[in-house]
Amino acid sequence: MKIAIVSDLHIGYERFRQDALRQARMALEKAVQVADAILIPGDIFDKRAPKPDVIADAINLFRDLRDLNKLGSEIAEFRGPGSIYTKFPIIAVPGTHERTAAGKENPLALLSLAGLLADTSESTTVIKKRSEKVAVFGLGGVPEEQVKSELQRLSPLPFPGAFNIFMFHQSIYEILPFNDSFIHYDDLPEGFDLYVCGHIHNRIETTVHGKPFLIPGSTVLTQLKDKEQGKKGFIVFDTETLAWEFIEIDSRNFVLETVEAEGATASKVASSIRSAIEKAVDSYDNPVVRVVVSGTLEKGSEASDIALQKLVSEFSGRAEIEIDLSKLESEGLGERIDQIRAGKLGNMSIKEMGMALLLDRLKAEGYSGRIDPQTLFSILSESKKEEAIKAVLELLEKEK
Ligand SMILES: [Mn+2]
């Protein structure tokens, strides 16, 4: 059987909402043409409580896939605590983005209740094509520190007489070695013929317990990290030959550029940023471009002197731009930080400066309110927004 693995669609992802839906559709429509079944190891949705129009997008997509009626296998058996309502072989688990409190339905479960796919959380779903059986055990995304105990509690076993797949959605220490709570490859249950994971947004192909371990990566750009510059797509695994291939989709291109300030003025650095973006725009149609600026600006220049908004609007419609100035330093910045630490800017204390700023703004706005600016300042500087509004309203009420 040919099994397509399509992961982390993030339908409803606000920043690239159209890309997310278009690329999810592209991947799944290609997958139904070439595979006998589709596995989705989590994060179909970007949020645990998507808006109704986002749920509608997903329903329309999965209903269209079912109506294409191309997948060559069907669900023959289901063993688990839940229930499924379809024989149509799209098998999924919820990801970390869809996770809800125990006993609460997540949006993936809604698609399963509607019979548009099979939620195989903590369950085994067996699909059949002629005499061949493929069994999929699924574990939805759980808090990292609970994975080991969940695996012990569930002790998933391979299904006799089938090609067995273990599907989950979790961080793995060998891939992301920075958190001790992440599980290791060796923690995964033995006896399965293929391990399929979501959660990590770039492609991983390795071996666990002597068997293939595959992560296709997300179908949409989300984190704007170095490793996301490759083409998006999905994996098709052949259970007979044990070979697999990555099938690319026409995903939006992402380019990460770096600019070194080298003690130049803000306007020189701005023009270097502009050239970096132009290079990307010349190479790709409407790419996502992230420019990371590092180094030090000329003395007297500050990061805020770089006209970012102007740069972004210059390329509007030709590229989606993100400029990261967090690694850029200004000469004399150290001194100013010391002053801020000492609670002083110039000869003024931070508090005096804040008060002066507020007075300026009030004057500019033509403020003639009944609360004196000193009182207003102390309310605003000492409370959170909601509390400040409440305090001001109470004060006004008292004065009436
Ligand atoms: Mn994800």
Side-chain angles (χ1 to χ4, degrees):
M1 252 188 260
K2 287 197 169 152
I3 310 289
I5 308 155
V6 187
S7 193
D8 293 78
L9 311 168
H10 287 271
I11 295 174
Y13 179 54
E14 274 165 29
R15 182 168 188 190
F16 300 123
R17 173 131 184 225
Q18 282 182 337
D19 288 357
L21 183 60
R22 188 181 69 91
Q23 292 172 196
R25 182 175 276 276
M26 209 185 315
L28 290 166
E29 283 182 351
K30 265 194 176 186
V32 292
Q33 302 294 335
V34 297
D36 296 306
I38 298 176
L39 303 188
I40 307 180
D43 287 357
I44 288 180
F45 291 100
D46 189 63
K47 289 200 170 77
R48 71 204 61 206
K51 294 194 172 122
D53 55 342
V54 171
I55 298 175
D57 283 343
I59 289 175
N60 284 322
L61 170 56
F62 282 92
R63 196 193 51 242
D64 288 349
L65 295 172
R66 194 188 56 191
D67 292 347
L68 283 170
N69 198 20
K70 291 273 188 191
L71 292 170
S73 69
E74 65 171 33
I75 295 173
E77 213 175 322
F78 178 81
R79 289 187 186 176
S83 300
I84 58 165
Y85 304 91
T86 183
K87 291 187 173 208
F88 184 61
I90 294 185
I91 302 167
V93 288
T96 33
H97 280 252
E98 292 147 330
R99 185 171 59 215
T100 45
K104 297 262 190 272
E105 298 294 5
N106 65 64
L108 180 277
L110 297 184
L111 297 182
S112 187
L113 286 173
L116 293 170
L117 50 75
D119 177 1
T120 198
S121 302
E122 304 185 12
S123 309
T124 300
T125 303
V126 183
I127 51 176
K128 210 174 158 191
K129 183 186 178 187
R130 290 189 289 273
S131 62
E132 193 192 356
K133 279 182 183 171
V134 172
V136 186
F137 182 90
L139 175 66
V142 297
E144 302 290 355
E145 60 281 0
Q146 289 172 20
V147 189
K148 271 190 217 173
S149 59
E150 276 299 281
L151 286 173
Q152 264 166 16
R153 180 178 70 82
L154 296 163
S155 304
L157 289 172
F159 190 89
F163 181 91
N164 280 281
I165 302 175
F166 181 78
M167 172 163 72
F168 68 117
H169 182 102
Q170 223 62 57
S171 295
I172 302 277
Y173 189 82
E174 282 83 352
I175 303 169
L176 305 165
F178 51 71
N179 189 324
D180 288 337
S181 67
F182 294 170
I183 55 161
H184 291 253
Y185 286 137
D186 277 350
D187 296 321
L188 292 170
E190 291 189 61
F192 289 82
D193 302 299
L194 169 66
Y195 297 84
V196 166
C197 184
H199 193 53
I200 292 162
H201 283 196
N202 52 284
R203 183 164 31 126
I204 306 280
E205 299 172 356
T206 185
T207 305
V208 169
H209 300 314
K211 304 291 177 175
F213 174 102
L214 303 174
I215 298 178
S218 63
T219 53
V220 64
L221 184 64
T222 53
Q223 295 153 337
L224 271 56
K225 282 185 187 162
D226 182 24
K227 282 184 179 159
E228 288 188 293
Q229 291 186 90
K231 272 280 175 194
K232 299 292 186 183
F234 61 96
I235 289 173
V236 177
F237 184 92
D238 188 327
T239 58
E240 277 163 40
T241 63
L242 306 181
W244 66 89
E245 62 173 322
F246 183 73
I247 297 186
E248 283 184 2
I249 56 168
D250 175 25
S251 53
R252 191 147 173 209
N253 287 97
F254 168 52
V255 182
L256 182 64
E257 293 280 358
T258 52
V259 165
E260 172 62 43
E262 293 175 327
T265 59
S267 69
K268 279 225 177 88
V269 171
S271 78
S272 302
I273 298 173
R274 181 179 293 108
S275 321
I277 301 169
E278 259 158 14
K279 203 173 91 191
V281 171
D282 287 344
S283 313
Y284 302 108
D285 178 36
N286 202 6
V288 176
V289 189
R290 175 159 188 246
V291 186
V292 179
V293 189
S294 58
T296 311
L297 284 172
E298 188 193 63
K299 193 160 188 166
S301 274
E302 289 188 36
S304 57
D305 298 335
I306 301 173
L308 289 187
Q309 210 40 55
K310 192 169 159 267
L311 273 168
V312 171
S313 57
E314 220 178 291
F315 289 94
S316 132
R318 290 191 292 150
E320 168 85 24
I321 293 162
E322 184 173 298
I323 301 166
D324 179 359
L325 298 181
S326 65
K327 293 188 179 72
L328 182 65
E329 288 176 26
S330 315
E331 285 266 349
L333 184 67
E335 234 169 79
R336 287 223 312 284
I337 290 173
D338 287 344
Q339 285 181 340
I340 291 168
R341 284 217 183 96
K344 268 182 175 313
L345 278 178
N347 292 323
M348 272 179 158
S349 75
I350 304 279
K351 200 168 175 185
E352 283 164 348
M353 183 164 262
M355 183 65 211
L357 273 171
L358 180 68
L359 278 175
D360 274 358
R361 288 293 289 273
L362 290 176
K363 220 169 156 188
E365 300 286 334
Y367 177 77
S368 58
R370 282 171 301 179
I371 302 171
D372 83 281
Q374 289 280 0
T375 313
L376 199 55
F377 181 77
S378 63
I379 292 173
L380 289 171
S381 60
E382 279 154 29
S383 348
K384 284 187 185 147
K385 195 172 99 188
E386 291 75 18
E387 290 163 12
I389 292 170
K390 208 172 138 217
V392 168
L393 288 174
E394 273 169 11
L395 213 60
L396 288 171
E397 196 58 35
K398 235 190 272 169
E399 282 194 6
K400 259 187 190 167

